[in-house]
Amino acid sequence: MMLHIPGVLSREQVASMRRRLDASNWVDGRTTVGAQGAQVKQNRQLAEGSPLAQELGAEVLAALANSPLFFSAALPLRTCPPLFNCYAGGEHYGDHVDGAMRRVAASGQWLRTDVSTTLFLSDPDEYDGGELTVVDAYGEHEVKLPAGDLIVYPSTSIHRVAPVTRGARICSFFWTQSMVRDDMRRCMLLELDQNIQSLRARLGDCTELVNITGHYHNLLRQWSEV
Ligand code: NI
């Protein structure tokens, strides 16, 4: 499932983050990948665990906590501290798949990457290129979103970032271990939840809707691992 969630950060939040990011020091992005990724990755990142990354990462996590749609789509068990990257001057990231397991430095805890998220902090007119392309069973999907919007996609997918040929593409990115490991099950639960919300708005809580809501929760009980 790929899902675009608009307006996770307000314009003011984006502007404030950008002021701090634009004045920051970026390091080689290959510090956070394995051997295969290092061969195709060419970008810069905020140093993992740096005070600025921690501060901005906490803001991103707080914004996610206010997004019922992110919760419904990702069913997050835990999300690793958000990272921040910058592509400019032809920088790019070739086809790769995100590592299955990540160790969160602060806690020492392992996290299985089920859901990948890219939160855009540059508007599309600030740069040329830089499209995120995600490949799935239905083909290739190109993503370039307004600042403050995010895209959620399965961490199992092969994806890439096209060379940025003008300006700079600044994003936050992070991984979530979901309570529901399987992407198709998460997708079914999201659709069910969205249809329940829509029917409830139209009909109120009739007996059938209470029953269907019960089925949603019973499926989640069957499929979740915490
Ligand atoms: Ni990736």
Side-chain angles (χ1 to χ4, degrees), residues 149-203:
D149 290 15
L150 64 76
I151 186 86
V152 160
Y153 57 100
S155 302
T156 48
S157 58
I158 289 178
H159 54 277
R160 61 178 173 271
V161 176
V164 171
T165 55
R166 177 189 64 88
R169 174 197 191 267
I170 294 169
C171 288
S172 175
F173 64 104
F174 46 89
W175 296 273
T176 298
Q177 178 168 339
S178 178
M179 291 182 272
V180 175
R181 177 195 294 234
D182 182 71
D183 179 58
M184 180 174 276
R185 289 180 174 180
R186 283 195 306 273
C187 191
M188 289 165 67
L189 287 167
L190 174 64
E191 280 189 21
L192 185 54
D193 182 52
Q194 289 189 309
N195 280 291
I196 288 171
Q197 305 296 337
S198 159
L199 280 175
R200 178 172 289 131
R202 276 166 50 192
L203 305 174

Side-chain angles (χ1 to χ4, degrees), residues 124-160:
D125 62 2
E126 292 182 61
Y127 60 99
D128 290 334
E131 294 83 1
L132 168 69
T133 297
V134 179
V135 184
D136 67 13
Y138 303 103
E140 299 199 341
H141 311 279
E142 238 178 45
V143 183
K144 189 169 182 174
L145 301 177
D149 290 15
L150 64 76
I151 186 86
V152 160
Y153 57 100
S155 302
T156 48
S157 58
I158 289 178
H159 54 277
R160 61 178 173 271

Side-chain angles (χ1 to χ4, degrees), residues 20-188:
R20 285 175 285 171
L21 284 168
D22 290 348
S24 67
N25 290 318
W26 301 96
V27 300
D28 191 324
R30 282 173 292 198
T31 49
T32 54
V33 288
Q36 193 271 331
Q39 290 176 43
V40 291
K41 185 175 187 183
Q42 194 197 338
N43 71 356
R44 287 158 297 141
Q45 290 177 187
L46 271 195
E48 204 175 359
S50 68
L52 183 60
Q54 286 183 32
E55 194 182 316
L56 298 184
E59 278 186 48
V60 170
L61 292 178
L64 286 183
N66 286 326
S67 171
L69 192 48
F70 179 81
F71 185 88
S72 213
L75 295 167
L77 179 60
R78 16 179 200 276
T79 296
C80 66
L83 298 168
F84 296 83
N85 61 15
C86 175
Y87 293 79
E91 288 173 323
H92 60 278
Y93 196 168
D95 278 337
H96 68 282
V97 68
D98 296 339
M101 303 297 297
R102 289 190 68 82
R103 194 156 181 270
V104 178
S107 63
Q109 194 172 34
W110 285 94
L111 174 148
R112 187 186 65 232
T113 60
D114 295 320
V115 176
S116 297
T117 303
T118 299
L119 169 63
F120 287 77
L121 297 171
S122 299
D123 274 312
D125 62 2
E126 292 182 61
Y127 60 99
D128 290 334
E131 294 83 1
L132 168 69
T133 297
V134 179
V135 184
D136 67 13
Y138 303 103
E140 299 199 341
H141 311 279
E142 238 178 45
V143 183
K144 189 169 182 174
L145 301 177
D149 290 15
L150 64 76
I151 186 86
V152 160
Y153 57 100
S155 302
T156 48
S157 58
I158 289 178
H159 54 277
R160 61 178 173 271
V161 176
V164 171
T165 55
R166 177 189 64 88
R169 174 197 191 267
I170 294 169
C171 288
S172 175
F173 64 104
F174 46 89
W175 296 273
T176 298
Q177 178 168 339
S178 178
M179 291 182 272
V180 175
R181 177 195 294 234
D182 182 71
D183 179 58
M184 180 174 276
R185 289 180 174 180
R186 283 195 306 273
C187 191
M188 289 165 67

